[in-house]
Amino acid sequence: ALGQGWLQSAPALVAIVVDPARTALRYGAVADRFVAMEAGAAAQNLLLQALALGLGATLVGAFDAAAAARELALRAGEQLLALIAVGQAA
């Protein structure tokens, strides 16, 4: 995560992964817009739920996409959009 070593100690790390081609089959040229909206909504819901449970959560967008894809064993066409670290609230 581009030098953000604190992510290694997070009790949970959630990856927001998308497959834009799958959405494009239904929505065509506006698929990227829908992918971004859905990913953002999913991230927001996770962050709100963590808060409701008294946990801390942080959205991270700075990462090496190729290295993350290897670590997550992403299939062709899948993309990591964000990471969310979840753990004890500070």
Side-chain angles (χ1 to χ4, degrees):
L2 301 181
Q4 298 177 77
W6 58 271
L7 287 174
Q8 292 178 356
S9 62
L13 192 58
V14 177
I16 304 287
V17 176
V18 300
D19 184 349
R22 192 170 150 191
T23 305
L25 292 174
R26 180 169 181 142
Y27 296 105
V30 295
D32 287 344
R33 186 179 320 152
F34 286 111
V35 167
M37 285 190 300
E38 290 295 325
Q44 182 179 30
N45 284 330
L46 194 149
L47 293 167
L48 289 170
Q49 187 60 49
L51 179 65
L53 294 171
L55 299 171
T58 303
L59 181 66
V60 177
F63 50 81
D64 179 330
R70 283 190 303 276
E71 285 295 317
L72 295 169
L74 298 184
R75 294 179 295 223
E78 292 179 332
Q79 300 171 17
L80 175 63
L81 288 189
L83 296 169
I84 300 175
V86 182
Q88 296 281 350

